[in-house]
Amino acid sequence: MSLPVVLAGARGHGRTHLLNIRRLQEAGLVRLVGICELTPLGAEELTGLGEPAQSADLGELLDRTGARIAVICTPIHTHTELALTAASRGVHTLLEKPTTPSFAAYEGLLTGLEKYGTACQVGFQSLGSHAVEAIRKLIADGAIGEVRGIGAAGAWARDEAYYSRAPWAGRRTLDGRDVVDGVLTNPLAHALATALRIDGSDRADSVGGIRLEQFRANDIEADDTTCLRLLTGGGTAVTVAVTLCAERPDEPYVLVHGASGRITFWYKEDRVLLQRAGRGPEQTEYARTDLLENLVAHVREGAPLLVPPERTGAFMRIVESVRTAPLPAPLPADAWYSAPGGTGPRRIVRGIDALVARSAESLSTFSELGAGWAAPPAEVHS
């Protein structure tokens, strides 16, 4: 029988979950029994989904509907509370990333999940790509020789309205609660999480030597242009350079450097390019397993979860480093300019597209690449 599902947060990014639930409902895997929103959805927003119960109180809604799964797509600072509200009722969760806004909250979530015996899947969609394991196998088989490092690059664009869409957007804290809504921890978090998974370094004890260079062109608390370098427990240097102030937005990617070749993974497209000495380039597109579908299979058949919270521990170490780091440095006025965006003006950092790409290529930070505005950080986080 189809599993009853409640969706908490059905607008904004939550609309993608609503569409996915509709797809799985049509396939007979789930049925939407509840929507948790401050303002109820109208009939036009629920086309093809019946008449689910609606409430602003998740606990009450779960009790009333008898849901087996809760999909939680709410502001970052509510993740822990809502996930534990569901777990305490024996309800399994698909929890949007980032897992929690602090490492202490992450540990509290793990403790609660163990206490209540419920499953949790964290919404790093890229980790459902079959390309990830294919890349790991290529590396293990020596296709590119010894791995010398992994770089990741993301150059996206968000206009100024993106930061005014919600009170928590672009904030490090809100009303005394951690939020940590920066480019590295939220919009382009997949670049980091995917690089860590490819290296097999995704658990909490897998990373150290974390160095952050965080900046902002927008008038926000959090970062919109950031570079990170860390060292994994296996000795792999990982560099991630990301921005929401791109000149020409493009698909983010992860680049694995080997002694005799390289692998580029455009993770939103599930597309892999293998380049190695003495052979022509090989490009392959892979399928992807949907994370909610995987959670349903876990609940019904015991299938292994693709992204259990334990395998976001290394990512959460970086979130904690971002949370406790000094405020992102505002970029000088001559480092960026304003141009029309989709719904209003957006800020563009001069030369950032090339800088982000060079970071992934050279495994260097912004300051090491000579960006005039990127003074090295005062301290190294570990």
Side-chain angles (χ1 to χ4, degrees):
M1 294 178 61
S2 59
L3 293 181
V5 172
V6 161
L7 172 60
R11 294 194 172 96
H13 181 59
R15 292 190 182 95
T16 63
H17 288 290
L18 202 60
L19 290 171
N20 193 43
I21 290 170
R22 180 184 291 121
R23 179 183 69 85
L24 296 180
Q25 183 164 296
E26 291 171 351
L29 294 177
V30 305
R31 64 185 187 278
L32 183 66
V33 296
I35 294 283
C36 184
E37 265 289 354
L38 298 178
T39 304
L41 272 63
E44 70 284 353
E45 296 175 280
L46 292 170
T47 301
L49 289 164
E51 298 181 358
Q54 300 200 54
S55 172
D57 184 329
L58 179 61
E60 182 275 330
L61 190 61
L62 295 174
D63 291 339
R64 175 156 47 112
T65 60
R68 295 287 307 283
I69 291 176
V71 178
I72 299 173
C73 185
T74 57
I76 298 166
H77 57 289
T78 67
H79 282 189
T80 311
E81 177 186 352
L82 294 182
L84 291 178
T85 293
S88 69
R89 289 163 168 79
V91 177
H92 309 286
T93 52
L94 172 58
L95 179 63
E96 260 301 339
K97 53 79 188 158
T99 318
T100 62
S102 72
F103 198 81
Y106 169 71
E107 292 182 310
L109 175 64
L110 293 181
T111 299
L113 292 170
E114 182 177 7
K115 173 183 176 181
Y116 298 120
T118 55
C120 178
Q121 176 105 284
V122 183
F124 284 106
Q125 302 98 322
S126 62
L127 301 185
S129 177
H130 300 179
V132 174
E133 287 306 312
I135 293 168
R136 286 180 50 78
K137 187 174 188 307
L138 285 170
I139 293 170
D141 290 346
I144 59 171
E146 182 181 359
V147 172
R148 291 180 169 174
I150 301 176
W156 277 1
R158 295 291 184 268
D159 54 31
E160 293 179 22
Y162 174 79
Y163 295 108
S164 60
R165 76 191 192 283
W168 56 272
R171 300 290 297 270
R172 283 167 61 107
T173 62
L174 180 65
D175 298 329
R177 302 175 69 183
D178 292 315
V179 177
V180 201
D181 181 37
V183 58
L184 185 65
T185 56
N186 194 6
L188 282 160
H190 291 84
L192 171 59
T194 305
L196 293 171
R197 175 65 67 90
I198 287 172
D199 191 63
S201 301
D202 50 14
R203 298 181 183 272
D205 59 355
S206 299
V207 296
I210 301 166
R211 172 175 176 150
L212 286 165
E213 297 181 8
Q214 299 185 90
F215 307 92
R216 59 176 180 85
N218 286 277
D219 187 16
I220 57 175
E221 280 185 346
D223 54 312
D224 57 37
T225 301
T226 285
C227 190
L228 156 82
R229 186 167 60 217
L230 59 82
L231 192 66
T232 71
T236 305
V238 175
T239 301
V240 181
V242 288
T243 185
L244 297 179
C245 304
E247 296 164 310
R248 298 175 184 83
D250 205 351
E251 291 296 334
Y253 58 90
V254 175
L255 177 58
V256 185
H257 298 270
S260 57
R262 57 198 284 167
I263 301 169
T264 308
F265 176 32
W266 291 271
Y267 59 79
K268 284 183 66 66
E269 299 178 329
D270 302 304
R271 180 164 57 95
V272 173
L273 177 64
L274 171 63
Q275 298 167 288
R276 44 188 167 172
R279 303 180 66 166
E282 302 170 42
Q283 184 163 277
T284 308
E285 292 185 12
Y286 290 86
R288 176 181 293 208
T289 298
D290 175 72
L291 296 185
L292 179 54
E293 199 165 349
N294 174 240
L295 177 58
V296 169
H298 174 79
V299 173
R300 295 178 66 174
E301 306 156 16
L305 287 174
L306 289 170
V307 199
E310 294 82 0
R311 299 201 65 181
T312 67
F315 175 82
M316 286 306 307
R317 288 288 186 194
I318 284 86
V319 171
E320 183 68 6
S321 291
V322 171
R323 186 185 75 85
T324 58
L327 288 170
L331 291 174
D334 61 356
W336 60 271
Y337 62 95
S338 183
T343 58
R346 72 178 185 93
R347 300 186 182 189
I348 300 170
V349 176
R350 301 179 193 278
I352 191 62
D353 299 20
L355 190 64
V356 162
R358 287 172 60 204
S359 174
E361 183 69 38
S362 65
L363 303 176
S364 303
T365 65
F366 292 155
S367 63
E368 291 169 341
L369 291 170
W373 40 263
E379 57 184 298
V380 174
H381 304 273
S382 60

